[in-house]
Amino acid sequence: MTSVWRSHVGSPSWAGWTLSCDVITCYNTRMKLTIRRVGNSLGVILPKATLEAWGVAEGDDLELTEHHIRPPGRGGLSHQALDELKRSFAVAVVRSCTPKQIRAQMLANLHRWKNQGTWGPAYDEWRDIAQTEDDGALFAVMLGRDENAVRLRQSMPFVGLLSREEVRKLNEEAGG
């Protein structure tokens, strides 16, 4: 896995730097790219060493996000990485919501999905967890790393509790 240092605005010291995964490491932590006219469009010229390190050449695609230009993902996230992403959603929900709020959102989503005919087998288990007042059981499946928690997180009904910005940030941090 490759990485690059990225500065937080207003953080002049190393303590303010964070590690962003899946971006190529270089000795220059920052490089100024000049926007140039290319025909009727505008573009940037990337150093040959960077293109070689990324394994891309003329005609290949790059991914552009709000904060990065990077090589395309190679086949998406692994099962383990995808579960870690889903677990990071759960952690963010637990940090920002009470168990009562989480249960209410879960039950509302489950009710809506059942009425829409999109009911899956795991939803019965989630409904049972949401209808109890056992916070330990709720947090165990939301945050656990055991096989049952991983399986249930594949169908997590607590969506809608995080802002789009929070979800975008977590997806970007995961490389998705």
Side-chain angles (χ1 to χ4, degrees):
M1 183 172 285
T2 55
S3 55
V4 67
W5 290 100
R6 176 178 46 171
S7 172
H8 289 289
V9 176
S11 298
S13 69
W14 280 103
W17 292 73
T18 59
L19 190 62
S20 174
C21 295
D22 297 327
V23 180
I24 301 303
T25 300
C26 60
Y27 292 109
N28 298 326
T29 58
R30 290 181 174 232
M31 180 175 284
K32 183 176 167 183
L33 298 176
T34 304
I35 299 173
R36 302 180 186 281
R37 181 158 304 282
V38 180
N40 290 332
S41 299
L42 297 175
V44 295
I45 297 173
L46 299 174
K48 183 177 180 183
T50 299
L51 296 173
E52 289 172 354
W54 285 352
V56 296
E58 184 176 344
D60 291 341
D61 295 323
L62 296 175
E63 292 179 356
L64 174 65
T65 69
E66 186 177 339
H67 301 287
H68 305 285
I69 295 176
R70 62 184 177 204
R74 306 284 187 219
L77 298 174
S78 68
H79 290 291
Q80 183 178 359
L82 183 56
D83 183 62
E84 283 303 312
L85 173 60
K86 290 183 176 192
R87 188 173 179 281
S88 71
F89 291 145
V91 168
V93 167
V94 167
R95 285 181 177 158
S96 63
C97 301
T98 66
K100 184 177 181 177
Q101 292 170 317
I102 296 168
R103 284 189 181 86
Q105 184 70 33
M106 288 171 58
L107 290 170
N109 286 336
L110 292 168
H111 178 75
R112 185 177 72 251
W113 296 339
K114 190 167 191 170
N115 287 341
Q116 293 172 344
T118 56
W119 195 257
Y123 295 152
D124 288 320
E125 294 175 72
W126 277 113
R127 183 192 58 220
D128 293 345
I129 292 165
Q131 289 176 339
T132 71
E133 292 189 22
D134 185 351
D135 294 349
L138 176 64
F139 294 149
V141 293
M142 288 181 73
L143 306 175
R145 296 188 186 276
D146 60 281
E147 191 175 309
N148 188 54
V150 169
R151 179 182 59 81
L152 285 174
R153 270 196 304 273
Q154 293 176 15
S155 307
M156 52 188 195
F158 45 89
V159 296
L161 289 169
L162 299 176
S163 70
R164 285 185 177 157
E165 178 61 23
E166 288 173 292
V167 171
R168 184 201 59 76
K169 181 182 174 194
L170 291 169
N171 276 319
E172 191 171 276
E173 288 172 359

